[in-house]
Amino acid sequence: MGTSRLEAFSDGIIAIAATLLVIELAAPEPGADVWEHLHHELPSIAAYAVSFVTILIYWVNHHALLADVATVDRALLFLNGFLLLCISSISFPTAVLGRALQAGGRPAIEAAVFYTAVLTLAAVSFLALWVYLGRHPHLLHPHARGITLAASRRGAFGACCYAVSVGVAFLNGTAALVVVALLALFFALPPRRRRTTPRPTD
Amino acid sequence: MGTSRLEAFSDGIIAIAATLLVIELAAPEPGADVWEHLHHELPSIAAYAVSFVTILIYWVNHHALLADVATVDRALLFLNGFLLLCISSISFPTAVLGRALQAGGRPAIEAAVFYTAVLTLAAVSFLALWVYLGRHPHLLHPHARGITLAASRRGAFGACCYAVSVGVAFLNGTAALVVVALLALFFALPPRRRRTTPRPTD
Amino acid sequence: MGTSRLEAFSDGIIAIAATLLVIELAAPEPGADVWEHLHHELPSIAAYAVSFVTILIYWVNHHALLADVATVDRALLFLNGFLLLCISSISFPTAVLGRALQAGGRPAIEAAVFYTAVLTLAAVSFLALWVYLGRHPHLLHPHARGITLAASRRGAFGACCYAVSVGVAFLNGTAALVVVALLALFFALPPRRRRTTPRPTD
Amino acid sequence: MGTSRLEAFSDGIIAIAATLLVIELAAPEPGADVWEHLHHELPSIAAYAVSFVTILIYWVNHHALLADVATVDRALLFLNGFLLLCISSISFPTAVLGRALQAGGRPAIEAAVFYTAVLTLAAVSFLALWVYLGRHPHLLHPHARGITLAASRRGAFGACCYAVSVGVAFLNGTAALVVVALLALFFALPPRRRRTTPRPTD
């Protein structure tokens, strides 16, 4: 299997996962005060925006990964499938976190731990793709065979960051969401290697 | 990154955002009078149709924009991501507005202000794409480098129109929805430049 | 604008519209009898299946239409947008019909009239595309210019059939759903012209 | 009709069907204990994951099938449409099963029978595609004409496996879900023929 259909399918899942997030935002009952409702829903709206941007960044980095892959084998297909499972399930912990932050207290801690744990799992499954490619370099385009170590390191760094956010979640739910937002900004920055290694085509 | 995958991903998000709008329309309970229910849901149905057409117009204009872009850099990617966040969140203010208009009064004003404010934000983020391209003309196809000023002006005009609709919303919620519907019809008209500037390919 | 991106976008909307239909099927409460619930939901399940197949047929016929189109102008774009609005809204009348048939009586009649009226509107908007192409044959591939009259007639016949189903709906809601199911089977048959007119490519 | 647009449309439906599954997972009320809620929702989460992987495997095998097809006729189009109907409806029995397993008892048995029956229907409709291709080998690429018997046998084996899972469901709902999970793992393994028959292109 070539990468083009895998790319299209992955893009489809990621696009839907990002867009479905909005369903979890609840509209107020007819006649209810809208500002008050929006103020009350603010944690859910913040969690929505953070998850949307996080999923968008997965899309960008997933694209960079598949651009380096020449051939797809079954193992890669199912590692990728596990990443898609993680990404497409993010709307559930996002909804859990948004609602729990509305009430605060112990449930907010629990929900933040759940949310950051799912994001860590997603980061680990992304790392697993690079580690697998590092061990099977024949699946990569020749020009990309030298970069798997750097990419794996970056992936491991990302997974560690999300693991740290789990630790933060045990202390404060809102702080964990802020950390995840900061991580999204950080990972939105381009990795260094793309500035130095020219690519033949895209 | 070339524009083709960005185009496909953006199209996916926009198509899903448009189609998801319908979820917010509530079916009546079994045995309830259907005409009465539809009559009661009329503001939600109207808001649904207006938002659907507005999103469709974003798709058309977004296509025209990407057709002029030759290369995508990270900043453009994230400006585009912000536009997608705005577009894919439209179903939430649409649902809020539809429900609030059913009851009328002060919540209808508040909901209309929220709805038009989100649309203004979307228009501003679309404008931001053209402004950014105007400052980085090397990202454009050569034939498109002369049109960024006109496109930016048109985008600024659109953002101003939506800002005006926020003002209308402070007076009357239904009137604001009518203004947004009229803006959709207006922006459905072709921009002048496309009639005079021949394009090499599409 | 070429047809390829319009095709991709239309396909996206149609695929999502078909898949979203399933959301309206309600799962029973934990511990409730499943057979009884499914028996009670049977009208909703039947309406779901009929709407799914109807949307699939729109996809097939819409593909046949776009395969004949060489160039897309703004008017065609917005006629197509109106068709997409109709198709993507089908899940709402489908849910209304399914629920109303569960209770029967007058609401079932009203819901069936609403359902068939929306399908008639969709058929009319599909007909409008062919009529428009018939008047602007320069938008078509040369080999397709002779077939617009036959296609328009077929479209008009389809719209009339759905109009008849509205009439049936005024008599009996279940019968109207059966008629729509039979129409789906009928329109699944290939149009005659495709057997006699060879096409250069697809 | 060539296979490329059918592939894209099928991919769209399958991707959305997989991603929509997550909607059925319910977030706890604000202030409710999150761990307790997740523990209570565990059967729904398990059913979600199993259905997601099952749909992903349909995607892989469906891709392998379409890669062998050279031309699509109407009958194949509608057999494929029936498979898509089955796949896109999986979220409904998944939700039914998840909820019923939360309460256990007789409804859990009934829900598992319903769930496995729908999966069996999907497997039969996939088998039907291969049987149809076996009887119309001119629709296949020349190199693929010799493999329809093996593929049909594999499809029949799959359908039998799911039929067995229906039998298991009559005994124990949870066991049926475990069997479906094991079948997913089993069908994730590559079919033998792909190791021995070289393919010209993909």
Side-chain angles (χ1 to χ4, degrees), chain B residues 11 34 52 63 188 194 202, chain C residues 1 5 74 88-89 99 110:
Chain B
D11 278 12
V34 172
F52 189 93
H63 169 73
R194 259 167 240 155
D202 198 12
Chain C
M1 184 189 282
R5 204 182 172 212
R74 283 249 159 174
S88 72
S89 71
R99 288 205 189 180
E110 295 171 348

Side-chain angles (χ1 to χ4, degrees), chain D residues 94-171:
Chain D
T94 303
V96 170
L97 179 61
R99 288 206 190 180
L101 286 178
Q102 288 172 23
R106 180 136 198 84
I109 299 279
E110 295 172 347
V113 170
F114 177 50
Y115 179 69
T116 50
V118 170
L119 292 183
T120 306
L121 198 64
V124 168
S125 70
F126 189 73
L127 165 62
L129 281 168
W130 274 119
V131 169
Y132 182 80
L133 288 170
R135 292 190 183 169
H136 301 79
H138 64 281
L139 298 174
L140 293 163
H141 288 298
H143 74 273
R145 284 177 195 162
I147 58 113
T148 56
L149 190 62
S152 298
R153 274 189 195 146
R154 194 173 155 86
F157 177 68
C160 289
C161 288
Y162 282 108
V164 168
S165 77
V166 178
V168 174
F170 274 108
L171 303 175

Side-chain angles (χ1 to χ4, degrees), chain A residues 23-48:
Chain A
I23 286 185
E24 304 291 349
L25 298 179
E29 290 304 304
D33 189 280
V34 172
W35 294 145
E36 206 178 289
H37 176 83
L38 289 179
H39 184 257
H40 186 253
E41 283 277 311
L42 211 59
S44 293
I45 295 170
Y48 158 71

Side-chain angles (χ1 to χ4, degrees), chain A residues 50-152:
Chain A
V50 171
S51 291
F52 190 94
V53 175
T54 301
I55 292 178
L56 232 61
I57 288 165
Y58 269 107
W59 173 67
V60 174
N61 289 324
H62 188 259
H63 169 72
L65 183 146
L66 283 189
D68 290 337
V69 173
T71 326
V72 180
D73 65 8
R74 283 250 160 175
L76 195 67
L77 211 54
F78 284 98
L79 282 176
N80 188 66
F82 186 70
L83 175 64
L84 294 181
L85 174 59
C86 292
I87 290 175
S88 72
S89 70
I90 284 176
S91 79
F92 178 52
T94 303
V96 170
L97 178 61
R99 287 203 191 182
L101 286 178
Q102 288 172 22
R106 182 137 197 82
I109 300 279
E110 296 171 347
V113 170
F114 178 49
Y115 179 70
T116 50
V118 170
L119 292 183
T120 306
L121 198 64
V124 168
S125 69
F126 189 73
L127 165 62
L129 281 168
W130 274 118
V131 170
Y132 182 81
L133 288 170
R135 292 189 183 170
H136 300 79
H138 64 281
L139 297 173
L140 292 163
H141 288 297
H143 74 274
R145 282 174 197 164
I147 59 112
T148 55
L149 189 62
S152 298

Side-chain angles (χ1 to χ4, degrees), chain B residues 7-8 10-12 14-20 22-23 25-38 41 45 48-49 52-53 55-57 59-64 66 154 184 187-191 194 202, chain C residues 1-2 4-10 12-14 16-18 20 23-24 40 74 77-78 80-82 84-93 95-100 102-104 106-111 113-114 170:
Chain B
E7 228 176 68
S10 302
D11 278 12
I14 295 173
I16 303 157
T19 321
L20 272 186
V22 77
I23 287 184
L25 299 179
E29 289 305 303
D33 189 279
V34 172
W35 295 144
E36 206 179 290
H37 177 83
L38 289 179
E41 284 278 310
I45 295 170
Y48 158 71
F52 189 93
V53 175
I55 292 178
L56 231 62
I57 288 166
W59 173 67
V60 174
N61 288 324
H62 188 259
H63 169 73
L66 282 190
R154 196 176 155 85
F187 289 114
L189 298 174
R194 259 167 240 155
D202 198 12
Chain C
M1 184 189 282
S4 69
R5 204 182 172 212
L6 180 64
E7 228 176 69
F9 187 74
S10 302
I13 296 245
I14 296 172
I16 303 157
L20 273 186
I23 286 185
E24 303 291 350
H40 186 253
R74 283 249 159 174
L77 212 53
F78 285 96
N80 189 65
F82 187 71
L84 294 180
L85 174 59
C86 291
I87 290 175
S88 72
S89 71
I90 284 176
S91 78
F92 177 52
V96 170
L97 178 61
R99 288 205 189 180
Q102 288 172 24
R106 180 134 199 84
I109 299 279
E110 295 171 348
V113 170
F114 178 49
F170 274 108

